[in-house]
């Protein structure tokens, strides 16, 4: 994600997902999804690619993501 693509979509995604490279568990899962999508020929410079990462991360790591996005609600 950071440094994997130099387009506006990836930069925005990286800024929004502050856990990237700070939370080992989430980062590892995101990279696994990235490599699988890349093998499936999903282009990382598309919104679809980043949406698929978000959807799968939420499905697999919802509780952990809530730590970053729930604002303690």
């Amino acid at each position: 994600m950071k440094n994997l693509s130099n387009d506006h979509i990836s930069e925005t995604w990286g800024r929004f997902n502050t856990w990237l490279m700070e939370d080992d568990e989430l980062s590892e899962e995101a990279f696994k999804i990235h490599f699988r999508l890349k093998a499936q020929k999903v282009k990382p410079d598309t919104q679809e690619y980043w949406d698929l990462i978000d959807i799968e991360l939420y499905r697999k790591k919802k509780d952990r993501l809530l730590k970053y996005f729930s604002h303690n609600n």
Side-chain angles (χ1 to χ4, degrees):
M1 292 100 10
K2 289 179 186 175
N3 299 328
L4 293 180
S5 184
N6 291 325
D7 62 88
H8 175 70
I9 299 169
S10 66
E11 291 173 13
T12 301
W13 190 90
R15 280 194 307 271
F16 182 71
N17 292 284
T18 58
W19 51 263
L20 187 62
M21 306 309 285
E22 300 295 324
D23 184 300
D24 292 339
E25 184 177 335
L26 287 174
S27 296
E28 181 179 333
E29 190 64 41
F31 279 101
K32 285 179 185 178
I33 297 165
H34 158 74
F35 289 116
R36 190 175 37 48
L37 292 174
K38 188 174 175 181
Q40 294 172 350
K41 307 287 190 223
V42 179
K43 295 182 180 185
D45 60 348
T46 64
Q47 186 63 52
E48 174 192 20
Y49 169 86
W50 298 100
D51 290 347
L52 289 169
I53 289 181
D54 285 338
I55 290 166
E56 191 160 338
L57 272 173
Y58 184 80
R59 187 175 59 86
K60 291 182 173 182
K61 301 290 182 180
K62 177 182 176 181
D63 291 340
R64 192 152 188 100
L65 283 169
L66 288 176
K67 171 182 166 184
Y68 296 94
F69 296 108
S70 71
H71 302 288
N72 295 320
N73 294 328

